[in-house]
């Protein structure tokens, strides 16, 4: 949801958000939040209750710990036009029954640009080996894979970031981004890699930083007209630098305020 909202705020048509949302008070809040951002919720969401929840506890450094009460079953999908981009990630792509449903959806949309953010939650994702198999299944179709350094350490503890990126690109990804919070990020394409610093901001709350980074990557690619270049696996390093700089700026704005409150296009100023 955070990726969908962040993308919509950056003027990307987010026409179909598929998730289980109940008819309870939490579900009402979610629908209102999506509607306010211009995101369309699809599927028979109102039939699933109670709404899944994650209770976040913000620590002194702005990071968060979570307690989950979730159901990952996806509702039936209404007939919609095939999306140009399909984003998968986090609990819904790794916890059953949602994981199998998401993989089936991926296979039913062979022409979509696919993006993946594992957004690891060890407390409920279970065995890392099983999670790695799911990542491999998705990466075969993925154009962009974004991980945090914590995701990378949990999923692939014996691989350096460079080795992991090389592996994911060999599996099919065109662009791999590994974020390290205040320490910046590294981006890898078929043509090489580069490291970028994070903009310096006062960190209030890190919730949604990675989701904003992912959404901003997508927004920049679309607004620059680089979709086909991405699909052809020929992003230049200058293009990659442009994408990473924009995404890092968006994430920096998000962490500078409370809650997942991604920036609008206007707030990105000259970066947009």
């Amino acid at each position: 949801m955070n990726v969908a909202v962040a993308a919509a705020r950056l003027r990307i048509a987010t026409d179909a958000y598929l998730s289980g949302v109940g008819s309870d008070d939490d579900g009402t809040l979610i629908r209102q939040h999506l509607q306010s951002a211009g995101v369309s919720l699809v599927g028979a969401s109102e039939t699933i209750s109670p709404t899944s929840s994650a209770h976040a506890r913000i620590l002194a450094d702005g990071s968060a710990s979570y307690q989950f009460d979730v159901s990952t079953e996806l509702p039936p999908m209404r007939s919609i036009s095939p999306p140009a981009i399909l984003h998968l990630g986090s609990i819904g792509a790794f916890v059953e029954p949602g994981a199998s449903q998401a993989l089936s959806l991926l296979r039913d949309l062979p022409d979509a640009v696919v993006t993946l953010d594992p957004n690891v939650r060890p407390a409920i994702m279970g065995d890392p080996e099983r999670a790695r198999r799911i990542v491999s299944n998705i990466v075969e179709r993925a154009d962009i894979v974004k991980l945090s350094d914590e995701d990378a350490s949990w999923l692939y503890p014996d691989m350096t970031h460079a080795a992991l990126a090389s592996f994911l690109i060999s599996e099919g990804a065109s662009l791999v981004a590994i974020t390290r919070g205040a320490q910046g990020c590294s981006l890898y394409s078929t043509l090489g890699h580069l490291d970028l610093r994070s903009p310096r901001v006062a960190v209030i709350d890190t919730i949604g930083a990675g989701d904003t980074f992912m959404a901003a990557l997508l927004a920049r690619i679309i607004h620059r007209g680089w979709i086909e270049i991405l699909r052809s696996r020929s992003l230049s390093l200058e293009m990659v630098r442009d994408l990473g700089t924009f995404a890092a700026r968006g994430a920096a704005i998000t962490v500078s305020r409370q809650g997942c409150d991604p920036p609008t296009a206007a707030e990105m100023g000259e970066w947009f």
Side-chain angles (χ1 to χ4, degrees):
M1 182 181 69
N2 290 340
V3 173
V5 169
R9 289 187 179 183
L10 293 174
R11 299 178 186 166
I12 298 303
T14 310
D15 297 324
Y17 174 66
L18 181 66
S19 184
V21 180
S23 56
D24 49 20
D25 290 345
D26 286 342
T28 297
L29 288 172
I30 287 174
R31 281 189 289 273
Q32 290 173 345
H33 183 55
L34 292 169
Q35 185 177 16
S36 70
V39 177
S40 298
L41 181 66
V42 299
S45 303
E46 67 277 1
T47 65
I48 295 178
S49 189
T51 300
S52 295
S53 64
H55 294 271
R57 178 171 173 261
I58 309 303
L59 306 179
D61 62 356
S63 63
S65 61
Y66 298 89
Q67 289 183 318
F68 297 97
D69 180 11
V70 301
S71 168
T72 66
E73 183 176 2
L74 295 177
M77 192 170 179
R78 298 191 188 106
S79 178
I80 64 167
S81 299
I85 296 173
L86 174 66
H87 175 71
L88 299 172
S90 201
I91 299 163
F94 289 88
V95 179
E96 295 294 357
S100 295
Q101 293 173 302
L103 190 58
S104 177
L105 180 62
L106 176 68
R107 290 168 176 165
D108 289 342
L109 297 168
D111 296 327
V113 169
V114 175
T115 64
L116 170 67
D117 178 0
N119 203 6
V120 167
R121 298 291 180 243
I124 60 174
M125 282 188 178
D127 177 24
E129 177 57 36
R130 175 183 168 276
R132 282 191 289 273
R133 289 195 297 271
I134 292 173
V135 169
S136 291
N137 286 335
I138 297 174
V139 171
E140 289 178 0
R141 277 283 326 282
D143 297 278
I144 301 175
V145 181
K146 177 260 166 196
L147 312 91
S148 70
D149 52 354
E150 293 177 348
D151 296 337
S153 294
W154 189 80
L155 284 166
Y156 301 97
D158 298 326
M159 298 181 73
T160 65
H161 290 174
L164 173 56
S166 178
F167 165 71
L168 294 173
I169 288 173
S170 72
E171 290 284 286
S174 177
L175 177 64
V176 175
I178 299 179
T179 60
R180 299 186 302 276
Q183 280 66 55
C185 62
S186 297
L187 296 105
Y188 302 80
S189 76
T190 55
L191 300 180
H193 99 277
L194 54 85
D195 300 315
L196 297 176
R197 295 180 179 179
S198 294
R200 295 301 175 190
V201 296
V203 176
I204 302 300
D205 183 345
T206 61
I207 292 177
D211 294 325
T212 300
F213 191 100
M214 181 79 253
L217 279 180
L218 287 173
R220 193 66 161 180
I221 287 172
I222 292 170
H223 289 305
R224 290 293 202 195
W226 292 344
I227 285 288
E228 292 308 315
I229 297 174
L230 172 73
R231 299 194 74 160
S232 66
R233 297 166 60 87
S234 54
L235 287 171
S236 71
L237 285 183
E238 283 308 305
M239 290 175 175
V240 171
R241 182 182 302 278
D242 180 273
L243 295 171
T245 301
F246 184 80
R249 177 58 182 165
I253 292 175
T254 297
V255 303
S256 69
R257 47 203 193 190
Q258 190 171 25
C260 180
D261 184 11
T264 64
E267 287 176 310
M268 292 294 283
E270 76 257 20
W271 294 91
F272 197 78

